[in-house]
Amino acid sequence: MATTAELSALVSELGLDHQNRATLGRLVAHGNLGHAEEDSEGRMHARIRIPPDELVWDPAILVMPHGGDLELEIVNDDENTHCALFPSNGDRQFIWLPVHSRGTAGLNLDGPGYYWYTSPIGNDEGRGLIGAIVVLGDVPRQARLDRPDQPRP
């Protein structure tokens, strides 16, 4: 497990300590930060799970190096039924997660930004079962606004 200083440095390095820093900082404090792995064909893969009796996603923040397709394995190791609602271009992905089950979701997140996911049943979300997928990179040139270059942090 990383120390608080190591997590703080990593969050700063990824640029997550600026906008929305309170929410993202809370996720890092109560969960792990993970990275999607890219295969030779450019498709990314990752695994998230709900540990027993913790009501958190592990990792709580998943970092993609750039936009694209993500194959996500979801594991519910908890003693309660949950679900997962993920963002994806064109349509959201909903996965039902009975006790000790697993599922997969194929997501397409083609632009940089923060994408939130949750378990919207019961009071899961209110009790902390929320997470974020952070897509690094810059907006494609064809999607940029027609305006002068802006200062970058």
Side-chain angles (χ1 to χ4, degrees):
M1 185 67 128
T3 66
T4 302
E6 290 170 336
L7 284 174
S8 179
L10 181 57
V11 169
S12 180
E13 176 186 330
L14 293 172
L16 304 179
D17 59 348
H18 300 292
Q19 186 177 13
N20 297 326
R21 68 176 156 221
T23 302
L24 287 169
R26 183 170 135 335
L27 290 176
V28 170
H30 298 291
N32 293 326
L33 189 137
H35 295 273
E37 296 179 11
E38 190 170 7
D39 64 21
S40 60
E41 296 174 3
R43 187 168 177 84
M44 289 167 269
H45 303 271
R47 180 178 172 216
I48 60 171
R49 61 186 283 269
I50 304 170
D53 300 323
E54 292 188 34
L55 209 59
V56 296
W57 295 106
D58 182 22
I61 299 176
L62 179 64
V63 179
M64 293 173 58
H66 56 80
D69 293 323
L70 173 66
E71 174 95 11
L72 194 56
E73 179 185 13
I74 308 100
V75 179
N76 180 12
D77 288 331
D78 196 22
E79 297 294 329
N80 294 298
T81 296
H82 301 285
C83 66
L85 181 61
F86 294 103
S88 183
N89 291 344
D91 197 10
R92 293 182 182 196
Q93 300 289 316
F94 180 87
I95 306 289
W96 190 249
L97 297 166
V99 176
H100 297 292
S101 66
R102 65 182 60 226
T104 58
L107 309 179
N108 179 273
L109 303 171
D110 65 355
Y114 305 150
Y115 297 87
W116 299 97
Y117 62 93
T118 187
S119 173
I121 63 170
N123 191 26
D124 283 358
E125 189 173 61
R127 294 176 59 208
L129 200 52
I130 58 171
I133 300 171
V134 177
V135 180
L136 302 178
D138 209 349
V139 175
R141 183 157 300 286
Q142 68 272 18
R144 293 183 188 166
L145 297 175
D146 185 20
R147 63 180 187 180
D149 288 337
Q150 301 296 305
R152 306 283 290 177

